[in-house]
Amino acid sequence: MKPSRHEASARQNSGGPSPVPGRGGDRENQPRSTDIAKLEVERQITELVDRSTQDLRSAWRELHRNGPPQGLSRDLLIRALAHRLQEETHGGTSRAQQRRLQTLAREFEKGSGFSDPGIMLRTGTTLVRQWRGHTHTVLVREDGFEYEGQDYRSLTVIAERITGAHWSGPRFFGLTKRASALIGAEAGR
């Protein structure tokens, strides 16, 4: 007796496409929605070059709800519109990047000519710190940090929780130049 084609083992061992409609089958020949969106954005960007400057200014007004800055060249207008189209399709600046840009802007407005960007942490990075015989692990998320299953907005709060005293979170986890120098000096002893 032949196994039923709906039986799990029959599907697993058949090597053929899944009999469930919409699954398996000829996936390679079917365009994915993300591919279609990318192609559409590429087409729109290519068309920007052929549009008149007046059309480009109108497109700017539609996107930004006001006119383009005075003196903006046609080339920059096209680049800015292309960036905006890509941003709408692929996503814009992450919250962490927006916060960093706001911090840099505030520092610039205060007149502090020099800004040390420090170490920029990418989402998914794991920070590990030994403290009094225990290993503490922190996961960097897009909107903060995760420590022992709880979300935190700052490393300083996590450092305080670990040590019971006020610590600079970036310094505690060795993310500052000063902390790096101290760690290097300790390693040389």
Side-chain angles (χ1 to χ4, degrees):
M1 180 170 149
K2 271 178 131 178
S4 167
R5 69 181 261 158
H6 296 290
E7 213 175 282
S9 62
R11 281 195 310 269
Q12 288 174 352
N13 296 328
S14 70
S18 171
V20 179
R23 293 196 182 171
D26 201 9
R27 285 189 185 182
E28 288 77 31
N29 294 333
Q30 297 175 356
R32 287 181 256 153
S33 62
T34 55
D35 293 338
I36 293 171
K38 287 178 184 179
L39 290 173
E40 178 62 21
V41 168
E42 288 176 18
R43 184 190 61 76
Q44 289 175 345
I45 290 171
T46 304
E47 289 176 355
L48 286 175
V49 177
D50 297 329
R51 293 174 73 177
S52 71
T53 304
Q54 190 60 33
D55 285 345
L56 293 172
R57 291 180 190 276
S58 297
W60 180 284
R61 281 187 204 92
E62 288 176 27
L63 286 172
H64 298 285
R65 307 286 187 248
N66 61 7
Q70 287 288 340
L72 190 65
S73 70
R74 175 182 168 77
D75 181 56
L76 287 178
L77 195 58
I78 290 170
R79 289 173 187 252
L81 290 170
H83 178 266
R84 183 70 176 171
L85 288 169
Q86 291 172 332
E87 198 174 53
E88 286 178 356
T89 303
H90 303 293
T93 309
S94 70
R95 287 187 213 161
Q97 289 172 328
Q98 288 174 358
R99 282 195 307 269
R100 182 69 184 143
L101 289 171
Q102 288 171 350
T103 301
L104 291 171
R106 281 192 299 271
E107 288 178 15
F108 181 76
E109 288 171 359
K110 288 179 187 175
S112 61
F114 176 74
S115 174
D116 180 14
I119 296 173
M120 298 301 294
L121 299 173
R122 292 183 182 217
T123 302
T125 301
T126 303
L127 304 173
V128 180
R129 174 65 150 91
Q130 291 281 338
W131 180 256
R132 296 193 175 165
H134 297 285
T135 302
H136 301 275
T137 306
V138 174
L139 176 65
V140 178
R141 296 189 167 261
E142 186 162 328
D143 57 345
F145 306 92
E146 181 182 319
Y147 173 68
E148 293 184 338
Q150 292 185 326
D151 294 334
Y152 295 89
R153 291 188 52 78
S154 98
L155 283 173
T156 300
V157 175
I158 297 170
E160 287 179 19
R161 182 169 170 207
I162 292 170
T163 64
H166 180 74
W167 268 78
S168 160
R171 185 171 176 202
F172 180 78
F173 285 98
L175 302 176
T176 62
K177 287 182 182 177
R178 184 173 174 189
S180 298
L182 289 174
I183 291 168
E186 289 175 2
R189 287 184 189 171

